[in-house]
Amino acid sequence: MMDADWIAFHPSPKKPDFILPKGAVDAHCHVFGPAAEFPFAPERKYTPCDAGKDKLFELRDFLGFERNVIVQATCHGKDNRALVDACRAAGDLARGIASVGPDVTDEELTDMHDAGVRGVRFNFVKRLVDATPKEVFLDIAERIAKLGWHIVVYFEAADLQELVPFLESLPTVIVVDHMGRPDVTKGVDHPDFQRFVDLMARNQNIWTKVTCPERLTVAGPPYDDVIDYAAYIVERFPDRVLWGTDWPHPNMKSHMPDDGALVDYIPKIARTREQQEKLLVANPMRLYWAQ
Ligand code: 0GY
């Protein structure tokens, strides 16, 4: 049974007014179960509704995306079967980001690579996972680097300062989820957001997803209070940004976004056709489909 306060994904999103460029990639989305086939992990912090691959692919086609990057959701722990199944079912149209522990075997990594997995996610968000020691993450990083994979990191803005030395020690490309979750009441010029900007400026291997206005907003839809932050990052680092829907939107408590309206937000943060092409096509293709 899903959590009593769980909000399910939007049943009938609008058709976006913004026409996505050909070959656009939804570079941040998840699958949940279905639980009858792919049970949720015992150590999970939430129990969601089912949101399987068929629904994801339907949404991809409806919104006008061509490809997905599916990120292992914490409700599945380190059991990547639902993710791998979705990647295999999509053929070349999906890539995956897995979650693995130190005991993962080389054979398991190779199998996942074969299915389309190209990275692992290190999660520091305390409400989602129990803490993993940094040495464990570093060991995993060394191993997956050999496969040409990269690392997606998810943390709260308050934890960035402490994480900087660790992030700067990682050997691969790093993709930071949701711009490091800035507090959008503080302003783009606030030292907290500028600390994140400086991190990207110093490290050419650090990318970010300019995603999740629906999580970062205080004002609510249409998320105008988040635009300046994302537009700033897209303008400054056009070759190191990714975008995704975050469907099926785990742990949204205030409201459930309309995925079509989220697509209509893209031209507000990537204002030129060139920026849109990079954000939606060239960047994700370079990172996920080059090998
Ligand atoms: C996101 C954000 C969240 C959840 C997860 O894997 C997850 O459970 O990523 C969140 O609750 O903020 O990126 O989907």
Side-chain angles (χ1 to χ4, degrees):
M1 275 293 282
M2 65 180 175
D3 294 336
D5 63 347
W6 191 263
I7 311 183
F9 55 88
H10 199 295
S12 53
K14 65 167 287 208
K15 195 85 179 166
D17 295 318
F18 176 60
I19 307 295
L20 289 162
K22 195 172 157 27
V25 181
D26 176 352
H28 185 82
C29 52
H30 312 282
V31 286
F32 300 152
E37 200 180 345
F38 301 109
F40 299 121
E43 72 275 20
R44 69 190 179 278
K45 306 287 187 201
Y46 62 85
T47 304
C49 62
D50 280 339
K53 60 180 184 289
D54 297 344
K55 293 273 184 211
L56 176 65
F57 301 156
E58 206 178 287
L59 182 76
R60 173 196 68 197
D61 296 345
F62 176 78
L63 296 176
F65 286 101
E66 202 160 292
R67 294 180 165 82
N68 293 113
V69 180
I70 309 172
V71 179
Q72 171 77 349
T74 57
C75 56
H76 280 294
K78 295 178 181 60
D79 175 353
N80 295 284
R81 280 177 298 172
L83 169 77
V84 163
D85 172 72
C87 287
R88 287 199 189 280
D92 197 44
L93 297 183
R95 292 290 189 252
I97 295 293
S99 184
V100 303
D103 49 351
V104 68
T105 66
D106 287 339
E107 195 187 348
E108 285 168 328
L109 290 174
T110 310
D111 276 358
M112 285 195 273
H113 188 90
D114 186 53
V117 173
R118 293 294 181 270
V120 291
R121 193 185 201 198
F122 293 170
N123 200 324
F124 296 93
V125 178
K126 295 172 190 74
R127 72 185 156 78
L128 292 174
V129 286
D130 295 327
T132 299
K134 297 215 178 68
E135 312 80 72
V136 171
F137 277 149
L138 281 170
D139 273 358
I140 293 169
E142 295 295 339
R143 289 180 62 196
I144 60 99
K146 296 190 189 113
L147 295 164
W149 291 10
H150 64 271
I151 298 166
V152 172
V153 287
Y154 192 20
F155 55 81
E156 304 276 1
D159 298 323
L160 173 59
Q161 197 156 17
E162 187 266 318
L163 280 173
V164 164
F166 171 74
L167 296 176
E168 292 191 323
S169 75
L170 292 173
T172 67
V173 164
I174 301 163
V175 181
V176 176
D177 277 337
H178 323 328
M179 301 183 287
R181 295 194 60 114
D183 176 345
V184 300
T185 63
K186 288 183 169 170
V188 167
D189 295 333
H190 191 278
D192 287 356
F193 188 63
Q194 287 302 318
R195 183 177 299 123
F196 179 65
V197 171
D198 288 346
L199 179 74
M200 286 195 71
R202 271 199 316 276
N203 297 278
Q204 296 296 313
N205 64 323
I206 299 190
W207 296 39
T208 194
K209 295 176 194 160
V210 286
T211 35
C212 284
E214 74 283 5
R215 282 186 198 286
L216 304 177
T217 188
V218 175
Y223 316 128
D224 288 347
D225 54 340
V226 191
I227 291 173
D228 286 354
Y229 297 81
Y232 183 101
I233 296 280
V234 170
E235 183 80 30
R236 181 100 186 250
F237 308 108
D239 299 307
R240 289 187 272 146
V241 284
L242 301 169
W243 195 86
T245 56
D246 194 31
W247 186 91
H249 309 286
N251 304 307
M252 286 300 294
K253 300 295 178 214
S254 55
H255 71 293
M256 182 50 58
D258 177 323
D259 298 280
L262 282 176
V263 170
D264 287 339
Y265 168 86
I266 297 173
K268 299 181 185 175
I269 64 167
R271 292 166 180 156
T272 68
R273 205 61 195 167
E274 192 187 348
Q275 287 176 348
Q276 292 162 8
E277 279 282 339
K278 288 181 170 185
L279 175 68
L280 297 161
V281 187
N283 297 347
M285 290 307 288
R286 197 162 80 249
L287 191 57
Y288 288 94
W289 272 271
Q291 38 156 351

